[in-house]
Amino acid sequence: MLYLSMVSSNKKKRGQQRKAAKANKEQELVTFMTRGIRKAGKTATIGLVHPDCRLSTNEDLRGTKVNIIIEVLPVVLNFLKRCEHETFHQVVANVGGDLQTPDTWIEVLFNGAKHVPSCRMQITESISPLVSCMCNDTERLFFKSNKHWNESIASFVQLISTIACHSIHDKEEILTDTLFKYDGLLTSIVQWAFWGMGDRPDIARDLQSEEISHIRLLGSKTTEIIVCSDNYVRDEAGLLTEKGKSVLDIVATTPFVSKGFDPTCMVSFVAGYIRQLKNDRRKSQDDFLILKRLIGEANSVDKGVVSELIDYGLRYALDHESACFVADISHDMLYRVIKDSEQQHLTVCASTGAGQIIALSSDTRIAFAIRSGIVEMCLSFIGSGGSVSNVLHQYIGYIFRNIHKIVLHQKTAKAVRSKKTVIEEQLIRIQQNTIITSNAGCIRLLDMVRSILNLNGSYCCRCNKSLSRTEVLQCNGCGCMSYCSKACQKEDWLNGHSVTCCRSFTNETAGQFQGMILPPGTRTPDNEQDARKMEELEKNITMIQLKLFLDNSETILQQAEALDLLLYDCVVWFDLCECPQKVTTKIYTDSFTEAEERKGFEESRSKQNITCFYISKFNRNASPFFSQRLFPHEWLTSKRV
């Protein structure tokens, strides 16, 4: 028993000796650091704060600079772990030394992260309390002191930027993941780019202007590397990973100032970044690439982004390069990027490692973009004259095609109607420029705009009179047919609408009267939203059927004459998915290939009428449906009002 007691006592003594030796070592290191500060001043803190200083001038230094950093690092990290709950005076009183600010300790970490790669993971795993203090830019307390926070924030930003940039550049994915796991750190990195008197006057008043400028620069640069570097957000094939998509979403949707400072802030990083480009008159390729990535690949587009980008295009995109950038980004902006789980109703825009980026031309988004002036913006690019390149033609064409595809959807149709007069006036001004009207590419783009306008509006389904919103009289039965008067409604009812109203027509009678005809194997969608979209689309197509027929009467007659066909043997196809819409006249045998279909058409058709089909889609991934309408031959030549 005595022997066991002695062994236990010896172990206890050895443990106490090790603990005392460790404390003495920490004391020596602190004394060592503070002695260097007293002798050389803060700017030459034993070569740890500013490694370019000559180390050989200090007699207390032993070994290389790297060894010193490795030796001091655990002590510094241990001190910084106490930054949340203790004052700096309490920490220094326990270990000795006469440091005036903890900023020196953070600068030691910065130099370790910069010059000793093997220390980066050790630093990153041990800075949780430091991150919690420094990322709270509302209370701004470091060792329970605003003064220490203000003195240390620039060094902290430099430390985080160094670790993030080096880890992404060196493809140290585990290190980058460890850094970004800290709550609020990625958000803070994004928001650093907006610190200044305009957006964060509370911080700007307490820091020197040089510090604010340096923090903004590091925030912008770090965000750019996170977004634009393929090493972290993409796989080896260059496809966006699921983790990368999540990171881009966080960056894109982060409010540009913290909620602690402004709880009502609804301006996202992307909208704030565009606003910053306008204020600084910037237009670098790096800025454009950041927006291209975030708008094209993240769930970043809201009303703020749409309005800010279009305003940039209208007021600041004065050169060809900027116009190309805005047009390219605007094309991506019109799509709604959604989750893979919604694929059954959508279409693929681009492939990613996480599966696919799924995108749908959004009726709501395009409608808001039209009201914000996206068509006027594109026309202003065209109106710049002969400097419009093929590349810019292509980008503007993409935008017009996207609008054209859903111009008959309810919200987009209303938006076009609200802008119709302004757009028509702008078209007239552009047409007066002979340089533009002699450019084939410009002419095609202007035709697209005219097609968008032609597919919009309300017209009487019997006499083709243009109707204002207050003049429209709709059929109470089906709600699809619109009329200018009760007389036109009665005439249309007696000439076939009584059969097709409320879809009471059968397949046998469908060849004689107007009505929606779904292609074989398809049906009204079960999805409530898609079913509503189809109903809206059918109603809007019905209101322009006669107008399209009469506007293209010469084309129809010329095509029928070229084919040497009688008009009642013709079937006219209006492809509303094309921009401008495509009109094709065919012999009916090419449209009804099945013997039974052909026989049914021959038996049910009227030799006084010509058959027209209108093809469209209620979303980009759905099968097309056909709206059929018959018109008297005489209308082709008489052109009713």
Side-chain angles (χ1 to χ4, degrees):
M1 294 292 293
L2 180 62
Y3 174 74
L4 292 176
S5 177
M6 291 177 62
V7 170
S8 177
S9 177
N10 289 338
K11 285 185 177 180
K12 186 175 181 180
K13 287 180 180 179
R14 285 196 295 272
Q16 291 174 344
Q17 289 172 353
R18 285 194 297 270
K19 188 175 181 180
K22 182 178 179 181
N24 290 336
K25 183 64 175 177
E26 290 186 358
Q27 176 70 43
E28 291 174 4
L29 287 170
V30 173
T31 303
F32 178 63
M33 293 170 64
T34 56
R35 187 184 305 163
I37 293 175
R38 286 198 303 270
K39 287 183 178 181
K42 183 178 177 181
T43 58
T45 308
I46 64 166
L48 296 175
V49 178
H50 297 281
D52 293 332
C53 298
R54 296 175 59 84
L55 298 182
S56 59
T57 59
N58 194 319
E59 297 177 356
D60 294 308
L61 297 179
R62 298 290 184 270
T64 65
K65 178 169 53 178
V66 171
N67 291 334
I68 295 173
I69 293 176
I70 294 174
E71 191 175 13
V72 171
L73 204 58
V75 181
V76 173
L77 290 170
N78 188 46
F79 294 159
L80 290 173
K81 286 180 180 178
R82 303 160 68 178
C83 68
E84 286 187 281
H85 307 295
E86 299 182 55
T87 66
F88 185 62
H89 176 74
Q90 290 173 326
V91 175
V92 173
N94 291 339
V95 298
D98 58 357
L99 290 179
Q100 299 301 310
T101 172
D103 174 38
T104 302
W105 291 346
I106 298 178
E107 291 183 357
V108 170
L109 299 186
F110 161 68
N111 284 284
K114 182 176 180 180
H115 298 287
V116 190
S118 59
C119 294
R120 290 174 191 155
M121 182 59 78
Q122 179 186 5
I123 295 171
T124 303
E125 291 177 336
S126 308
I127 59 173
S128 178
L130 177 63
V131 171
S132 297
C133 288
M134 303 310 291
C135 287
N136 186 344
D137 60 9
T138 305
E139 295 182 353
R140 301 198 293 280
L141 294 175
F142 184 41
F143 285 102
K144 297 187 175 183
S145 167
N146 290 127
K147 178 176 178 289
H148 291 325
W149 191 93
N150 292 335
E151 292 172 340
S152 304
I153 183 61
S155 298
F156 174 74
V157 171
Q158 191 167 247
L159 167 65
I160 297 301
S161 177
T162 299
I163 296 175
C165 294
H166 278 287
S167 63
I168 292 174
H169 180 269
D170 298 338
K171 299 183 179 181
E172 298 181 65
E173 189 172 340
I174 297 177
L175 176 58
T176 312
D177 291 342
T178 304
L179 182 67
F180 290 157
K181 76 177 181 181
Y182 292 120
D183 187 35
L185 181 57
L186 184 55
T187 297
S188 293
I189 292 173
V190 170
Q191 293 171 346
W192 289 337
F194 298 96
W195 281 10
M197 287 302 298
D199 301 318
R200 289 304 304 265
D202 56 327
I203 295 177
R205 282 193 297 264
D206 294 335
L207 302 181
Q208 296 180 4
S209 58
E210 294 82 3
E211 291 178 314
I212 286 291
S213 298
H214 191 54
I215 290 172
R216 292 183 64 174
L217 178 63
L218 289 176
S220 297
K221 194 65 179 177
T222 307
T223 303
E224 177 188 332
I225 290 175
I226 293 171
V227 173
C228 298
S229 175
D230 293 340
N231 292 347
Y232 184 60
V233 298
R234 299 179 186 278
D235 58 21
E236 294 180 355
L239 302 177
L240 190 66
T241 62
E242 184 176 353
K243 178 176 63 181
K245 177 71 166 56
S246 176
V247 169
L248 293 185
D249 284 346
I250 293 173
V251 172
T253 57
T254 294
F256 80 115
V257 296
S258 65
K259 288 291 187 180
F261 172 73
D262 183 4
T264 64
C265 179
M266 300 297 292
V267 181
S268 67
F269 167 78
V270 177
Y273 199 82
I274 299 172
R275 185 181 299 176
Q276 199 175 72
L277 293 184
K278 295 191 297 185
N279 294 337
D280 298 343
R281 299 296 195 273
R282 299 202 324 256
K283 55 176 182 179
S284 71
Q285 288 294 332
D286 292 336
D287 293 324
F288 295 167
L289 181 58
I290 289 175
L291 293 177
K292 174 72 174 173
R293 289 279 178 91
L294 293 178
I295 291 178
E297 299 180 335
N299 291 312
S300 63
V301 180
D302 54 21
K303 289 185 176 180
V305 173
V306 174
S307 58
E308 290 289 349
L309 183 60
I310 293 174
D311 181 63
Y312 181 90
L314 286 169
R315 299 171 56 195
Y316 299 95
L318 304 178
D319 58 275
H320 180 263
E321 182 183 9
S322 299
C324 285
F325 152 70
V326 174
D328 184 17
I329 300 296
S330 298
H331 165 243
D332 294 336
M333 179 183 69
L334 297 181
Y335 286 105
R336 178 174 63 92
V337 180
I338 55 85
K339 299 177 182 179
D340 288 353
S341 59
E342 302 177 62
Q343 286 187 39
Q344 62 267 28
H345 300 297
L346 305 175
T347 186
V348 175
C349 176
S351 296
T352 70
Q356 293 166 324
I357 291 180
I358 309 299
L360 175 69
S361 295
S362 169
D363 185 22
T364 302
R365 186 174 299 176
I366 290 180
F368 184 79
I370 292 171
R371 293 183 186 275
S372 299
I374 193 170
V375 177
E376 296 100 299
M377 179 191 76
C378 292
L379 288 175
S380 70
F381 294 159
I382 299 172
S384 61
S387 61
V388 182
S389 67
N390 291 333
V391 175
L392 185 53
H393 279 167
Q394 184 180 21
Y395 292 149
I396 296 175
Y398 289 154
I399 294 173
F400 288 161
R401 288 187 186 94
N402 281 335
I403 295 174
H404 191 278
K405 287 172 184 174
I406 62 171
V407 71
L408 290 169
H409 291 199
Q410 199 68 14
K411 293 178 182 178
T412 302
K414 289 181 179 179
V416 172
R417 282 196 290 271
S418 70
K419 285 283 187 175
K420 190 170 184 178
T421 302
V422 176
I423 295 172
E424 287 176 339
E425 291 174 353
Q426 195 169 1
L427 282 173
I428 293 173
R429 290 194 299 270
I430 291 175
Q431 289 169 347
Q432 295 172 354
N433 189 326
T434 56
I435 297 177
I436 297 174
T437 54
S438 62
N439 185 311
C442 291
I443 292 175
R444 282 194 297 271
L445 295 176
L446 297 179
D447 287 342
M448 289 182 180
V449 178
R450 295 188 189 95
S451 179
I452 291 171
L453 297 178
N454 286 337
L455 287 181
N456 193 271
S458 298
Y459 299 87
C460 178
C461 293
R462 192 66 190 171
C463 71
N464 197 39
K465 178 183 176 182
S466 178
L467 305 175
S468 66
R469 180 175 296 182
T470 57
E471 292 177 320
V472 175
L473 299 176
Q474 288 186 329
C475 173
N476 290 331
C478 63
C480 293
M481 308 297 282
S482 58
Y483 304 99
C484 65
S485 64
K486 291 185 178 180
C488 279
Q489 183 178 13
K490 182 178 180 180
E491 183 181 353
D492 202 46
W493 182 265
L494 296 175
N495 284 274
H497 186 55
S498 59
V499 178
T500 63
C501 188
C502 301
R503 311 198 181 191
S504 59
F505 61 92
T506 64
N507 290 335
E508 289 73 20
T509 60
Q512 301 177 26
F513 307 102
Q514 69 273 9
M516 185 184 74
I517 301 177
L518 293 171
T522 63
R523 54 188 173 83
T524 302
D526 296 329
N527 179 276
E528 182 179 349
Q529 182 178 0
D530 285 347
R532 187 174 66 253
K533 286 286 184 185
M534 176 178 282
E535 183 178 352
E536 292 173 357
L537 186 56
E538 181 191 3
K539 184 182 297 186
N540 287 330
I541 290 176
T542 301
M543 287 193 293
I544 62 164
Q545 285 178 338
L546 179 56
K547 174 178 170 53
L548 290 177
F549 175 72
L550 297 180
D551 286 351
N552 292 276
S553 59
E554 293 183 6
T555 301
I556 296 170
L557 289 171
Q558 290 173 1
Q559 291 179 352
E561 185 179 354
L563 294 173
D564 194 22
L565 295 176
L566 298 173
L567 288 178
Y568 64 82
D569 282 335
C570 295
V571 173
V572 183
W573 292 86
F574 292 88
D575 191 346
L576 305 183
C577 299
E578 294 290 328
C579 181
Q581 68 270 1
K582 187 178 179 181
V583 182
T584 307
T585 305
K586 301 179 180 180
I587 187 171
Y588 75 92
T589 53
D590 291 340
S591 300
F592 301 98
T593 55
E594 297 293 332
E596 292 185 4
E597 291 180 348
R598 190 181 306 120
K599 182 180 178 181
F601 175 79
E602 292 171 346
E603 292 177 350
S604 64
R605 66 177 172 168
S606 167
K607 291 191 176 183
Q608 284 72 45
N609 292 337
I610 184 171
T611 304
C612 299
F613 282 107
Y614 300 82
I615 313 168
S616 188
K617 293 184 178 183
F618 62 91
N619 78 42
R620 297 183 66 219
N621 206 37
S623 299
F625 72 83
F626 305 95
S627 181
Q628 179 176 298
R629 184 79 186 270
L630 282 80
F631 299 103
H633 300 166
E634 61 182 30
W635 288 12
L636 283 175
T637 52
S638 64
K639 291 194 176 182
R640 296 169 68 103
V641 176

